[in-house]
Amino acid sequence: MKIDVIIPSYRPDQRLVRLVKGLLASREPAARILIINTEKQLFPFPELEKLDRVEVVHIKKAEFDHGGTRDRAAMLCNGELLLFMTQDAVPADGNLVGSLAAAFADPGVWAAYARQLPDESCGELERYTRSFNYPSGSRVKSMEDLDELGVKTFFCSNVCAMYRADKYRELGGFEKRTIFNEDMIFAGKLIKAGGKIAYVAEARVIHSHNYGCMEQLHRNFDLAVSQADHMDIFGMAKSESEGIRLVKQTAAWLIRQGKPWLLPGLVCQSGFKYLGYFLGKRYRRLPKWMVRKLTMSPGYWKESSFKQS
């Protein structure tokens, strides 16, 4: 099947170059790589625009939205499979595209996402989080797994996720305006419509972050806002229990590794995560100035965003 790749970018670094070259060298190459870049003057790699099968479309910062920009790009593509990636996800080998595409041999699979591996600079806590969210074993998820997996049933990360294009359009694509989490919102629609999501552990990208406590707070605030705005999806399963399970398993892992001195850092990060999540779920009760302080996306919060709440 014909595969198109969509990559939003904003002030990208060399990882974008490695990503594009990795995709071009893939054993099952994409027909087209479409980069949607925010602010042309901040794009440092004009040489990418000269590569075969690569196209760069520049937009203004005010036009960017997590879901809307990706959906706009999808409408410019005619591939049977759409692969969405972020600018900082680098293929671990040449099997990435082919491994994801192979999941669609099952006609019931409408989406597939890759395993994320930590990079060399990744801290211990984030390293374990990668293994918690992206284990070594593959799995196909459907509505039948909701009782067992809870909110993880809808987990599907646009860091590297492939979608069946006809089903993507049939279900309306990503939310045209959302602060965060466009991938899980759409995955929830997909599951509710009777589709399946494949986690493909053999498809691997190098991708990790070392977020500080305040960054965790801002990130989890926006995540919770997206959940509060889409209770038709997230009301089917609680997220809090999954967070508690992660903290407990991370603490046990640190002890087994003989690194108990990292436990205070885990407690601190977990506290900031929970605070951001708690406030985000209740953002409608907060004053506007506080919401703008707590978010990592201040540009999202126009007056219309509060009125819609």
Side-chain angles (χ1 to χ4, degrees):
M1 291 191 282
K2 183 181 177 183
I3 302 166
D4 288 338
V5 182
I6 295 166
I7 308 169
S9 79
Y10 178 65
R11 295 187 175 183
D13 56 29
Q14 282 293 332
R15 286 174 293 184
L16 177 63
V17 177
R18 300 205 305 271
L19 164 57
V20 171
K21 291 185 176 179
L23 291 172
L24 292 174
S26 174
R27 292 185 179 87
E28 185 168 340
R32 183 187 189 193
I33 299 172
L34 178 58
I35 300 171
I36 303 294
N37 177 67
T38 303
E39 304 294 6
K40 183 175 183 179
Q41 68 273 22
L42 300 177
F43 190 69
F45 307 115
E47 66 271 17
L48 292 181
E49 303 186 54
K50 301 175 184 178
L51 296 176
D52 186 37
R53 292 183 283 129
V54 177
E55 180 181 352
V56 182
V57 174
H58 299 283
I59 63 173
K60 297 178 181 178
K61 189 174 182 179
E63 297 178 273
F64 178 82
D65 178 85
H66 280 278
T69 300
R70 288 176 170 88
D71 187 71
R72 171 181 169 181
M75 296 305 111
L76 298 175
C77 297
N78 57 13
E80 297 164 274
L81 296 174
L82 301 174
L83 173 56
F84 292 87
M85 298 187 70
T86 55
Q87 65 185 31
D88 55 354
V90 179
D93 53 43
N95 299 316
L96 175 66
V97 178
S99 295
L100 285 173
F104 294 89
D106 177 353
V109 169
W110 298 353
Y113 66 102
R115 184 182 185 188
Q116 296 182 30
L117 301 175
D119 66 22
E120 294 179 355
S121 66
C122 185
E124 294 285 353
L125 298 181
E126 177 64 13
R127 191 171 294 275
Y128 183 79
T129 300
R130 294 291 100 182
S131 66
F132 179 87
N133 288 326
Y134 304 97
S136 59
S138 299
R139 177 164 188 167
V140 176
K141 302 177 291 185
S142 70
M143 184 62 86
E144 296 177 359
D145 297 300
L146 188 60
D147 288 341
E148 176 195 351
L149 298 178
V151 73
K152 271 288 186 72
T153 308
F154 314 132
F155 189 71
C156 181
S157 174
N158 269 351
V159 165
C160 185
M162 186 177 284
Y163 301 86
R164 200 180 290 274
D166 57 348
K167 294 298 181 181
Y168 175 86
R169 295 188 174 95
E170 182 182 317
L171 294 174
F174 298 129
E175 291 292 307
K176 305 305 180 286
R177 190 169 189 278
T178 181
I179 190 169
F180 198 60
N181 231 16
E182 81 291 333
D183 39 20
M184 285 187 68
I185 295 167
F186 181 76
K189 292 181 186 177
L190 185 157
I191 290 288
K192 288 179 70 175
K196 295 187 286 188
I197 299 169
Y199 166 59
V200 186
E202 298 77 23
R204 303 177 303 153
V205 292
I206 309 298
H207 178 265
S208 58
H209 294 285
N210 289 313
Y211 289 128
C213 288
M214 288 305 298
E215 290 171 307
Q216 296 284 14
L217 185 147
H218 296 314
R219 181 177 176 83
N220 279 269
F221 178 83
D222 286 358
L223 183 148
V225 167
S226 72
Q227 291 192 9
D229 285 346
H230 295 278
M231 290 304 293
D232 55 323
I233 302 297
F234 296 102
M236 293 190 291
K238 291 185 177 181
S239 299
E240 292 88 339
S241 57
E242 188 67 13
I244 293 170
R245 190 168 74 91
L246 171 59
V247 174
K248 288 181 176 179
Q249 291 194 16
T250 305
W253 180 78
L254 289 174
I255 292 170
R256 288 196 304 271
Q257 295 294 310
K259 298 179 179 179
W261 59 85
L262 294 177
L263 288 172
L266 171 64
V267 173
C268 180
Q269 280 204 17
S270 301
F272 275 81
K273 283 182 180 180
Y274 180 73
L275 178 61
Y277 183 83
F278 179 88
L279 293 171
K281 288 296 286 282
R282 294 157 180 81
Y283 81 92
R284 294 182 180 90
R285 307 178 198 173
L286 303 178
K288 296 176 183 178
W289 66 265
M290 184 178 290
V291 169
R292 292 191 175 102
K293 287 286 186 181
L294 290 168
T295 186
M296 66 176 181
S297 306
Y300 174 83
W301 295 98
K302 302 174 183 177
E303 286 302 311
S304 57
S305 301
F306 293 102
K307 290 174 183 176
Q308 290 167 2
S309 303

PDB file of all heavy atoms in Angstrom, residues 141-164:
ATOM      1  N   LYS A 141      -5.145  -4.090  20.247  1.00  0.00           N
ATOM      2  CA  LYS A 141      -6.143  -3.694  21.239  1.00  0.00           C
ATOM      3  C   LYS A 141      -7.478  -3.384  20.567  1.00  0.00           C
ATOM      4  O   LYS A 141      -7.516  -2.830  19.465  1.00  0.00           O
ATOM      5  CB  LYS A 141      -5.654  -2.457  21.995  1.00  0.00           C
ATOM      6  CG  LYS A 141      -4.314  -2.650  22.694  1.00  0.00           C
ATOM      7  CD  LYS A 141      -3.838  -1.365  23.370  1.00  0.00           C
ATOM      8  CE  LYS A 141      -3.453  -0.285  22.387  1.00  0.00           C
ATOM      9  NZ  LYS A 141      -2.881   0.922  23.041  1.00  0.00           N
ATOM     10  N   SER A 142      -8.555  -3.722  21.257  1.00  0.00           N
ATOM     11  CA  SER A 142      -9.904  -3.423  20.786  1.00  0.00           C
ATOM     12  C   SER A 142     -10.787  -3.100  21.977  1.00  0.00           C
ATOM     13  O   SER A 142     -10.337  -3.121  23.128  1.00  0.00           O
ATOM     14  CB  SER A 142     -10.476  -4.620  20.011  1.00  0.00           C
ATOM     15  OG  SER A 142     -10.744  -5.700  20.903  1.00  0.00           O
ATOM     16  N   MET A 143     -12.052  -2.831  21.727  1.00  0.00           N
ATOM     17  CA  MET A 143     -12.988  -2.522  22.806  1.00  0.00           C
ATOM     18  C   MET A 143     -13.064  -3.659  23.827  1.00  0.00           C
ATOM     19  O   MET A 143     -13.342  -3.422  25.015  1.00  0.00           O
ATOM     20  CB  MET A 143     -14.376  -2.228  22.220  1.00  0.00           C
ATOM     21  CG  MET A 143     -15.411  -1.810  23.249  1.00  0.00           C
ATOM     22  SD  MET A 143     -15.001  -0.267  24.127  1.00  0.00           S
ATOM     23  CE  MET A 143     -15.679   0.937  22.976  1.00  0.00           C
ATOM     24  N   GLU A 144     -12.794  -4.875  23.402  1.00  0.00           N
ATOM     25  CA  GLU A 144     -12.842  -6.014  24.317  1.00  0.00           C
ATOM     26  C   GLU A 144     -11.782  -5.933  25.412  1.00  0.00           C
ATOM     27  O   GLU A 144     -11.878  -6.621  26.429  1.00  0.00           O
ATOM     28  CB  GLU A 144     -12.670  -7.317  23.529  1.00  0.00           C
ATOM     29  CG  GLU A 144     -13.803  -7.586  22.545  1.00  0.00           C
ATOM     30  CD  GLU A 144     -13.557  -8.847  21.722  1.00  0.00           C
ATOM     31  OE1 GLU A 144     -12.498  -9.485  21.910  1.00  0.00           O
ATOM     32  OE2 GLU A 144     -14.432  -9.193  20.897  1.00  0.00           O
ATOM     33  N   ASP A 145     -10.776  -5.091  25.208  1.00  0.00           N
ATOM     34  CA  ASP A 145      -9.684  -4.978  26.182  1.00  0.00           C
ATOM     35  C   ASP A 145      -9.908  -3.864  27.199  1.00  0.00           C
ATOM     36  O   ASP A 145      -9.063  -3.632  28.062  1.00  0.00           O
ATOM     37  CB  ASP A 145      -8.357  -4.716  25.446  1.00  0.00           C
ATOM     38  CG  ASP A 145      -7.984  -5.859  24.535  1.00  0.00           C
ATOM     39  OD1 ASP A 145      -7.812  -6.981  25.030  1.00  0.00           O
ATOM     40  OD2 ASP A 145      -7.879  -5.631  23.315  1.00  0.00           O
ATOM     41  N   LEU A 146     -11.044  -3.177  27.123  1.00  0.00           N
ATOM     42  CA  LEU A 146     -11.261  -2.005  27.970  1.00  0.00           C
ATOM     43  C   LEU A 146     -11.230  -2.356  29.458  1.00  0.00           C
ATOM     44  O   LEU A 146     -10.633  -1.629  30.258  1.00  0.00           O
ATOM     45  CB  LEU A 146     -12.581  -1.332  27.616  1.00  0.00           C
ATOM     46  CG  LEU A 146     -12.862   0.017  28.290  1.00  0.00           C
ATOM     47  CD1 LEU A 146     -11.793   1.036  27.937  1.00  0.00           C
ATOM     48  CD2 LEU A 146     -14.240   0.543  27.879  1.00  0.00           C
ATOM     49  N   ASP A 147     -11.848  -3.467  29.841  1.00  0.00           N
ATOM     50  CA  ASP A 147     -11.859  -3.844  31.258  1.00  0.00           C
ATOM     51  C   ASP A 147     -10.460  -4.142  31.773  1.00  0.00           C
ATOM     52  O   ASP A 147     -10.122  -3.819  32.914  1.00  0.00           O
ATOM     53  CB  ASP A 147     -12.767  -5.069  31.476  1.00  0.00           C
ATOM     54  CG  ASP A 147     -14.241  -4.723  31.332  1.00  0.00           C
ATOM     55  OD1 ASP A 147     -14.583  -3.519  31.420  1.00  0.00           O
ATOM     56  OD2 ASP A 147     -15.047  -5.649  31.122  1.00  0.00           O
ATOM     57  N   GLU A 148      -9.621  -4.747  30.939  1.00  0.00           N
ATOM     58  CA  GLU A 148      -8.262  -5.099  31.356  1.00  0.00           C
ATOM     59  C   GLU A 148      -7.313  -3.904  31.301  1.00  0.00           C
ATOM     60  O   GLU A 148      -6.559  -3.654  32.253  1.00  0.00           O
ATOM     61  CB  GLU A 148      -7.711  -6.210  30.464  1.00  0.00           C
ATOM     62  CG  GLU A 148      -6.265  -6.565  30.771  1.00  0.00           C
ATOM     63  CD  GLU A 148      -5.606  -7.391  29.683  1.00  0.00           C
ATOM     64  OE1 GLU A 148      -6.303  -7.843  28.748  1.00  0.00           O
ATOM     65  OE2 GLU A 148      -4.369  -7.576  29.759  1.00  0.00           O
ATOM     66  N   LEU A 149      -7.349  -3.148  30.201  1.00  0.00           N
ATOM     67  CA  LEU A 149      -6.357  -2.102  29.962  1.00  0.00           C
ATOM     68  C   LEU A 149      -6.803  -0.712  30.396  1.00  0.00           C
ATOM     69  O   LEU A 149      -5.959   0.174  30.549  1.00  0.00           O
ATOM     70  CB  LEU A 149      -5.986  -2.070  28.472  1.00  0.00           C
ATOM     71  CG  LEU A 149      -5.337  -3.334  27.903  1.00  0.00           C
ATOM     72  CD1 LEU A 149      -5.077  -3.160  26.412  1.00  0.00           C
ATOM     73  CD2 LEU A 149      -4.049  -3.659  28.638  1.00  0.00           C
ATOM     74  N   GLY A 150      -8.094  -0.494  30.571  1.00  0.00           N
ATOM     75  CA  GLY A 150      -8.570   0.834  30.923  1.00  0.00           C
ATOM     76  C   GLY A 150      -8.209   1.846  29.848  1.00  0.00           C
ATOM     77  O   GLY A 150      -8.315   1.578  28.656  1.00  0.00           O
ATOM     78  N   VAL A 151      -7.712   3.021  30.279  1.00  0.00           N
ATOM     79  CA  VAL A 151      -7.411   4.099  29.339  1.00  0.00           C
ATOM     80  C   VAL A 151      -6.295   3.714  28.370  1.00  0.00           C
ATOM     81  O   VAL A 151      -6.184   4.288  27.270  1.00  0.00           O
ATOM     82  CB  VAL A 151      -7.050   5.386  30.104  1.00  0.00           C
ATOM     83  CG1 VAL A 151      -5.667   5.290  30.728  1.00  0.00           C
ATOM     84  CG2 VAL A 151      -7.181   6.622  29.224  1.00  0.00           C
ATOM     85  N   LYS A 152      -5.464   2.735  28.739  1.00  0.00           N
ATOM     86  CA  LYS A 152      -4.392   2.284  27.838  1.00  0.00           C
ATOM     87  C   LYS A 152      -4.957   1.675  26.548  1.00  0.00           C
ATOM     88  O   LYS A 152      -4.241   1.547  25.557  1.00  0.00           O
ATOM     89  CB  LYS A 152      -3.520   1.244  28.543  1.00  0.00           C
ATOM     90  CG  LYS A 152      -2.344   1.817  29.327  1.00  0.00           C
ATOM     91  CD  LYS A 152      -1.265   2.332  28.377  1.00  0.00           C
ATOM     92  CE  LYS A 152      -0.010   2.790  29.087  1.00  0.00           C
ATOM     93  NZ  LYS A 152       0.782   1.711  29.642  1.00  0.00           N
ATOM     94  N   THR A 153      -6.238   1.312  26.555  1.00  0.00           N
ATOM     95  CA  THR A 153      -6.876   0.806  25.334  1.00  0.00           C
ATOM     96  C   THR A 153      -6.778   1.839  24.223  1.00  0.00           C
ATOM     97  O   THR A 153      -6.625   1.506  23.048  1.00  0.00           O
ATOM     98  CB  THR A 153      -8.358   0.477  25.594  1.00  0.00           C
ATOM     99  OG1 THR A 153      -8.466  -0.370  26.730  1.00  0.00           O
ATOM    100  CG2 THR A 153      -8.993  -0.220  24.390  1.00  0.00           C
ATOM    101  N   PHE A 154      -6.850   3.131  24.604  1.00  0.00           N
ATOM    102  CA  PHE A 154      -6.845   4.210  23.614  1.00  0.00           C
ATOM    103  C   PHE A 154      -5.444   4.765  23.370  1.00  0.00           C
ATOM    104  O   PHE A 154      -5.297   5.736  22.622  1.00  0.00           O
ATOM    105  CB  PHE A 154      -7.748   5.363  24.082  1.00  0.00           C
ATOM    106  CG  PHE A 154      -9.076   4.938  24.606  1.00  0.00           C
ATOM    107  CD1 PHE A 154      -9.553   5.426  25.813  1.00  0.00           C
ATOM    108  CD2 PHE A 154      -9.862   4.041  23.906  1.00  0.00           C
ATOM    109  CE1 PHE A 154     -10.785   5.038  26.306  1.00  0.00           C
ATOM    110  CE2 PHE A 154     -11.092   3.637  24.391  1.00  0.00           C
ATOM    111  CZ  PHE A 154     -11.555   4.130  25.595  1.00  0.00           C
ATOM    112  N   PHE A 155      -4.449   4.179  23.985  1.00  0.00           N
ATOM    113  CA  PHE A 155      -3.104   4.722  23.859  1.00  0.00           C
ATOM    114  C   PHE A 155      -2.579   4.493  22.442  1.00  0.00           C
ATOM    115  O   PHE A 155      -2.562   3.369  21.938  1.00  0.00           O
ATOM    116  CB  PHE A 155      -2.170   4.078  24.876  1.00  0.00           C
ATOM    117  CG  PHE A 155      -0.824   4.751  24.955  1.00  0.00           C
ATOM    118  CD1 PHE A 155      -0.692   6.013  25.507  1.00  0.00           C
ATOM    119  CD2 PHE A 155       0.313   4.138  24.455  1.00  0.00           C
ATOM    120  CE1 PHE A 155       0.540   6.651  25.573  1.00  0.00           C
ATOM    121  CE2 PHE A 155       1.554   4.755  24.517  1.00  0.00           C
ATOM    122  CZ  PHE A 155       1.663   6.021  25.074  1.00  0.00           C
ATOM    123  N   CYS A 156      -2.167   5.577  21.798  1.00  0.00           N
ATOM    124  CA  CYS A 156      -1.628   5.520  20.431  1.00  0.00           C
ATOM    125  C   CYS A 156      -0.899   6.833  20.208  1.00  0.00           C
ATOM    126  O   CYS A 156      -1.537   7.884  20.128  1.00  0.00           O
ATOM    127  CB  CYS A 156      -2.751   5.332  19.420  1.00  0.00           C
ATOM    128  SG  CYS A 156      -2.201   5.208  17.706  1.00  0.00           S
ATOM    129  N   SER A 157       0.422   6.797  20.121  1.00  0.00           N
ATOM    130  CA  SER A 157       1.197   8.031  20.119  1.00  0.00           C
ATOM    131  C   SER A 157       1.570   8.496  18.719  1.00  0.00           C
ATOM    132  O   SER A 157       2.197   7.759  17.942  1.00  0.00           O
ATOM    133  CB  SER A 157       2.480   7.848  20.939  1.00  0.00           C
ATOM    134  OG  SER A 157       3.299   8.990  20.834  1.00  0.00           O
ATOM    135  N   ASN A 158       1.233   9.757  18.414  1.00  0.00           N
ATOM    136  CA  ASN A 158       1.585  10.347  17.125  1.00  0.00           C
ATOM    137  C   ASN A 158       3.063  10.701  17.014  1.00  0.00           C
ATOM    138  O   ASN A 158       3.483  11.284  16.021  1.00  0.00           O
ATOM    139  CB  ASN A 158       0.742  11.591  16.855  1.00  0.00           C
ATOM    140  CG  ASN A 158      -0.533  11.264  16.116  1.00  0.00           C
ATOM    141  OD1 ASN A 158      -0.718  10.145  15.649  1.00  0.00           O
ATOM    142  ND2 ASN A 158      -1.425  12.225  16.020  1.00  0.00           N
ATOM    143  N   VAL A 159       3.859  10.371  18.027  1.00  0.00           N
ATOM    144  CA  VAL A 159       5.307  10.423  17.846  1.00  0.00           C
ATOM    145  C   VAL A 159       5.672   9.541  16.660  1.00  0.00           C
ATOM    146  O   VAL A 159       6.545   9.875  15.852  1.00  0.00           O
ATOM    147  CB  VAL A 159       6.037   9.968  19.128  1.00  0.00           C
ATOM    148  CG1 VAL A 159       7.501   9.655  18.843  1.00  0.00           C
ATOM    149  CG2 VAL A 159       5.933  11.054  20.193  1.00  0.00           C
ATOM    150  N   CYS A 160       4.961   8.428  16.536  1.00  0.00           N
ATOM    151  CA  CYS A 160       5.127   7.554  15.364  1.00  0.00           C
ATOM    152  C   CYS A 160       3.933   6.613  15.288  1.00  0.00           C
ATOM    153  O   CYS A 160       3.916   5.560  15.932  1.00  0.00           O
ATOM    154  CB  CYS A 160       6.425   6.762  15.468  1.00  0.00           C
ATOM    155  SG  CYS A 160       6.756   5.766  13.989  1.00  0.00           S
ATOM    156  N   ALA A 161       2.925   7.019  14.531  1.00  0.00           N
ATOM    157  CA  ALA A 161       1.701   6.211  14.405  1.00  0.00           C
ATOM    158  C   ALA A 161       1.198   6.242  12.969  1.00  0.00           C
ATOM    159  O   ALA A 161       1.222   7.286  12.309  1.00  0.00           O
ATOM    160  CB  ALA A 161       0.623   6.724  15.354  1.00  0.00           C
ATOM    161  N   MET A 162       0.715   5.094  12.507  1.00  0.00           N
ATOM    162  CA  MET A 162       0.232   4.941  11.140  1.00  0.00           C
ATOM    163  C   MET A 162      -1.264   4.647  11.174  1.00  0.00           C
ATOM    164  O   MET A 162      -1.740   3.916  12.046  1.00  0.00           O
ATOM    165  CB  MET A 162       0.989   3.798  10.445  1.00  0.00           C
ATOM    166  CG  MET A 162       0.687   3.623   8.973  1.00  0.00           C
ATOM    167  SD  MET A 162       1.708   2.278   8.238  1.00  0.00           S
ATOM    168  CE  MET A 162       3.304   3.093   8.081  1.00  0.00           C
ATOM    169  N   TYR A 163      -1.988   5.218  10.213  1.00  0.00           N
ATOM    170  CA  TYR A 163      -3.437   5.068  10.169  1.00  0.00           C
ATOM    171  C   TYR A 163      -3.882   4.631   8.770  1.00  0.00           C
ATOM    172  O   TYR A 163      -3.313   5.058   7.764  1.00  0.00           O
ATOM    173  CB  TYR A 163      -4.129   6.383  10.518  1.00  0.00           C
ATOM    174  CG  TYR A 163      -3.783   6.912  11.888  1.00  0.00           C
ATOM    175  CD1 TYR A 163      -2.644   7.704  12.072  1.00  0.00           C
ATOM    176  CD2 TYR A 163      -4.568   6.615  12.991  1.00  0.00           C
ATOM    177  CE1 TYR A 163      -2.312   8.196  13.336  1.00  0.00           C
ATOM    178  CE2 TYR A 163      -4.240   7.098  14.256  1.00  0.00           C
ATOM    179  CZ  TYR A 163      -3.112   7.884  14.427  1.00  0.00           C
ATOM    180  OH  TYR A 163      -2.774   8.349  15.667  1.00  0.00           O
ATOM    181  N   ARG A 164      -4.936   3.835   8.732  1.00  0.00           N
ATOM    182  CA  ARG A 164      -5.566   3.479   7.466  1.00  0.00           C
ATOM    183  C   ARG A 164      -6.315   4.717   6.974  1.00  0.00           C
ATOM    184  O   ARG A 164      -7.232   5.208   7.646  1.00  0.00           O
ATOM    185  CB  ARG A 164      -6.517   2.301   7.689  1.00  0.00           C
ATOM    186  CG  ARG A 164      -6.871   1.534   6.446  1.00  0.00           C
ATOM    187  CD  ARG A 164      -7.804   0.392   6.762  1.00  0.00           C
ATOM    188  NE  ARG A 164      -7.168  -0.689   7.504  1.00  0.00           N
ATOM    189  CZ  ARG A 164      -6.502  -1.708   6.954  1.00  0.00           C
ATOM    190  NH1 ARG A 164      -6.398  -1.770   5.629  1.00  0.00           N
ATOM    191  NH2 ARG A 164      -5.975  -2.661   7.703  1.00  0.00           N
TER     192      ARG A 164
END
